[in-house]
Amino acid sequence: MVLWLEAELAVGAPDGFLAGARRTAVDPKPIRRQAEALLSGRNSRRRGWSDDVPAVDEDGVAALIDKARPFLEAGDGRNALAILEPVTEALVPAWLEQADWDETLHEFFPVLGQLIAEAVLMSDLAPGERDDLMARLDVWQGELDGYGLDDHLQVAIDALEQGWDEIGLADVMAGRGRTWPLSGQGDWIMERLTEARLRVLDIGGRAEEFLNLARAAGRHGDHAAMLVRLARVAEAAAYARKQFRSAEEVLLLSQVLKEAGQIDEALELAEWGLTLKAEEDRPYGIVGLARWLRDCAAALARREPALTAAGAAFEHSLSLDDFRAAETLAGPEWTAMRARLLAKLAAAKHAHDRTEIFLNEGRIDEAVRSVDVENVLRNPSNTVLMRLAEAAHASHPDWVIDVCERMAVNVMDSGQAGFYELAAQWLEKAVLAYDAAGRFDDWIERIDKLIEKHRRKHKLKPLLQALRPGA
C-alpha cells in the first residue's frame, strides 16, 4: 500500500484529492520501486507456476504503464518518460530471470517501446539527455536480443536517433513528397516509427502534417479518419473509394463515420466496400464488413442495405448463423433469397456448416452428398451427422447403415469405453435403416455377431444386447 500510494502521489493526485497539490514533474523513483514490487510478485495474490517463483502482477504492471498515457495525450512527453523509463528499467532484469518460462510478460516490451517513442518525439530533450536514454535503451535491447526479443525497443531508439530530422521527412509533412519512406520500402520498425509520429502530430493538432505523412506512408485509413474528424466527410469518402483496397479499411472508416453521426455516408461506404474483391486468404474481411452493415442497417430500418449485406455475409462465410440472420431479415423475400444462398452453398469448395444447413432445410439428398465420411468418422459425437442419419434412414438406408456401423465400430474396436453409449446410439440409427430397407433379418445376424465379438466388454455387451429384437 505504501509503494502504491507513493507511485500515485508521484504521478499526480486525481481531481478532488489533495486539492491544490499538483506536481509539475513526476518523480521516477517511486515508480521504479512500485514496478519492482509488482514484478517481484510481492503485490500479487496469485500463485506462481511453482512455489519458488512468485506470480508477477501483470495487471498491476499494465496499470502502471497506463499512467503515462494521460501525459502523452496532453503532449507532456517528459512526465510520460518519467513513468516509462523506470518501468522498463525494472522490467528488463525481471523478465530475464524468468525468460525460460515466460508466456506473456514479454508482450510489455513492444508497448513500452512504442510509448517511449511517442514521448521522445514530443519532448525537447537536451542532447545529453537524448544520448543517455539512447545508451540505456541500446543496453536493454541488447539483453533482450539474447533471448529472441529482437527489436522490441528499437522504435524508441530510432525515435531518439532520428526524431523529426530524418532526411525528406519535413518535405513530406509539408506536402512536397509523395512517398514515405523515400526509398518506398520500409520494415515493421519504420512502420511503428511512422505510427508514433502520426500520434504525436495528432496530439499536437498538426492536422495537415498528419494528413500529408499518412498519405505518403500509405496509411490511408488514418488519413481518411482524420478527414472525418476535420468534418471533411465528402473528401474522406472520395479518398476511401480511390485508395482503399480492403474491407477492413472500409469497416473501420464506416464505424468512424457512424460515430461522427454521418449515418448515410457510413452505410453508403460500407455498401461500396462489399463490391471489393475478397482476398482468398482473408475472406473474413468482407464478412466482418457485411455483418456490421447488416446489423447496423437493420437497427436503423434500412431494409435494402441490410438484405444486401445479409446475403454477402453468408456468401462469404457460408455459416449457419449468417444463413439464419438472412432468413430473419428477408421476410417475404426469403423464398427467392433462400434459393440463391443454397445454390451458393452447394457450389462452394468448402463450407463447415454445409451439412447442417441442408439438413435444417430438408434437403436430405444434398446433405448426404455433402458428408465427407472418412473425415467425420473421427468424431463419434457428431450430433449433426446423427440427426442426418435419423432423417435419411428411409430415403438413404444403405448409406445410413454404412455410416452408422462404421461410427459404432470405430468406438467399439478401439475400446473407448466412455463412448460406448454413443456407439449404441449409432447402431439404433442403423436399426431404423435396416428396417426401412426390409433387411431386418440382416440386422439380427449383424447384432449377434457384434454381441459375440464384444462379449468380454462388460460395459458394452448389455448395450448391444438391448438392441437385439426380443431383448
Side-chain angles (χ1 to χ4, degrees):
M1 176 61 73
V2 171
L3 293 175
W4 174 84
L5 184 59
E6 285 181 349
E8 291 293 311
L9 292 174
V11 171
D15 291 341
F17 181 65
L18 295 180
R22 182 177 183 274
R23 301 292 294 270
T24 58
V26 172
D27 183 357
K29 294 179 182 178
I31 304 298
R32 170 66 188 268
R33 289 194 293 269
Q34 173 70 346
E36 290 175 341
L38 294 168
L39 292 164
S40 70
R42 281 184 284 159
N43 286 13
S44 176
R45 296 181 180 178
R46 296 183 297 164
R47 295 183 63 82
W49 70 278
S50 78
D51 292 337
D52 298 327
V53 182
V56 170
D57 187 349
E58 294 188 21
D59 292 339
V61 174
L64 192 57
I65 293 172
D66 285 344
K67 291 185 181 301
R69 297 183 188 275
F71 291 103
L72 291 173
E73 294 293 339
D76 186 350
R78 278 191 173 275
N79 276 326
L81 285 173
I83 297 169
L84 298 170
E85 285 184 64
V87 172
T88 309
E89 187 177 10
L91 179 61
V92 171
W95 182 81
L96 292 175
E97 290 180 359
Q98 50 188 297
D100 291 337
W101 61 81
D102 170 55
E103 294 181 344
T104 57
L105 190 60
H106 65 280
E107 295 173 1
F108 285 121
F109 288 117
V111 174
L112 285 164
Q114 196 72 20
L115 295 179
I116 291 172
E118 293 177 15
V120 164
L121 290 169
M122 64 176 60
S123 299
D124 55 345
L125 297 177
E129 294 175 304
R130 189 175 297 271
D131 292 343
D132 178 62
L133 178 54
M134 191 185 306
R136 282 184 287 140
L137 284 166
D138 270 327
V139 170
W140 295 333
Q141 183 58 65
E143 293 178 309
L144 298 179
D145 287 344
Y147 287 83
L149 300 189
D150 300 347
D151 300 328
H152 277 48
L153 299 175
Q154 190 61 45
V155 64
I157 297 171
D158 288 356
L160 282 161
E161 185 175 20
Q162 299 171 14
W164 299 97
D165 300 326
E166 194 169 352
I167 295 174
L169 179 60
D171 285 338
V172 167
M173 291 193 301
R176 296 189 294 271
R178 294 185 177 182
T179 302
W180 185 258
L182 296 182
S183 65
Q185 298 178 343
D187 55 21
W188 73 287
I189 300 174
M190 172 64 77
E191 291 176 1
R192 291 177 64 198
L193 182 56
T194 297
E195 182 180 342
R197 285 167 170 158
L198 288 171
R199 276 271 298 152
V200 174
L201 291 174
D202 185 9
I203 290 167
R206 299 160 66 180
E208 289 304 319
E209 291 171 293
F210 179 103
L211 290 171
N212 292 333
L213 178 57
R215 180 177 57 246
R219 298 183 67 94
H220 302 305
D222 292 332
H223 182 97
M226 175 59 79
L227 289 174
V228 173
R229 289 166 54 193
L230 295 172
R232 293 156 63 175
V233 175
E235 188 179 347
Y239 184 86
R241 285 176 167 80
K242 180 179 179 181
Q243 298 292 349
F244 284 8
R245 297 293 180 269
S246 72
E248 290 93 335
E249 291 176 304
V250 176
L251 173 57
L252 290 173
L253 185 59
S254 296
Q255 291 171 330
V256 169
L257 285 165
K258 182 175 180 290
E259 290 169 3
Q262 304 294 330
I263 303 298
D264 291 338
E265 291 77 4
L267 299 184
E268 289 173 9
L269 180 66
E271 281 194 87
W272 170 81
L274 295 182
T275 67
L276 294 175
K277 183 178 180 181
E279 299 177 28
E280 290 187 6
D281 59 338
R282 297 177 64 187
Y284 275 82
I286 287 285
V287 173
L289 175 63
R291 288 172 176 168
W292 180 86
L293 176 57
R294 177 195 67 200
D295 297 343
C296 182
L300 295 168
R302 307 288 183 90
R303 181 173 175 76
E304 186 173 342
L307 279 178
T308 299
F314 176 76
E315 289 178 10
H316 287 91
S317 73
L318 301 176
S319 77
L320 176 62
D321 287 343
D322 287 326
F323 188 84
R324 287 173 171 167
E327 180 180 9
T328 299
L329 287 172
E333 299 175 49
W334 177 235
T335 300
M337 189 176 189
R338 172 180 178 270
R340 176 169 58 85
L341 298 186
L342 290 177
K344 184 75 173 181
L345 180 65
K349 291 183 179 180
H350 305 286
H352 181 269
D353 294 338
R354 186 186 342 243
T355 302
E356 187 170 9
I357 293 172
F358 279 139
L359 174 59
N360 290 347
E361 295 301 303
R363 309 282 283 264
I364 304 302
D365 285 344
E366 290 95 330
V368 167
R369 286 197 299 269
S370 73
V371 175
D372 180 353
V373 176
E374 299 303 324
N375 186 46
V376 300
L377 285 175
R378 302 187 186 99
N379 179 18
S381 300
N382 192 320
T383 57
V384 173
L385 185 59
M386 190 172 287
R387 286 175 50 215
L388 176 58
E390 184 168 0
H393 77 272
S395 58
H396 299 75
D398 292 338
W399 180 85
V400 171
I401 290 169
D402 176 64
V403 169
C404 291
E405 288 197 356
R406 290 172 69 181
M407 291 290 278
V409 166
N410 273 1
V411 172
M412 295 185 295
D413 287 355
S414 61
Q416 301 177 59
F419 289 101
Y420 282 164
E421 289 189 3
L422 270 177
Q425 291 175 29
W426 285 112
L427 291 176
E428 287 175 358
K429 308 307 177 197
V431 174
L432 295 175
Y434 272 108
D435 190 30
R439 297 172 52 195
F440 210 69
D441 289 342
D442 292 342
W443 167 247
I444 294 175
E445 181 180 349
R446 177 64 172 143
I447 192 62
D448 284 344
K449 288 180 178 179
L450 289 174
I451 292 171
E452 174 61 23
K453 180 179 180 180
H454 299 289
R455 65 184 184 279
R456 297 183 183 278
K457 295 176 181 175
H458 303 298
K459 291 184 178 180
L460 176 59
K461 183 178 177 181
L463 296 174
L464 296 177
Q465 290 174 327
L467 293 169
R468 195 185 190 287

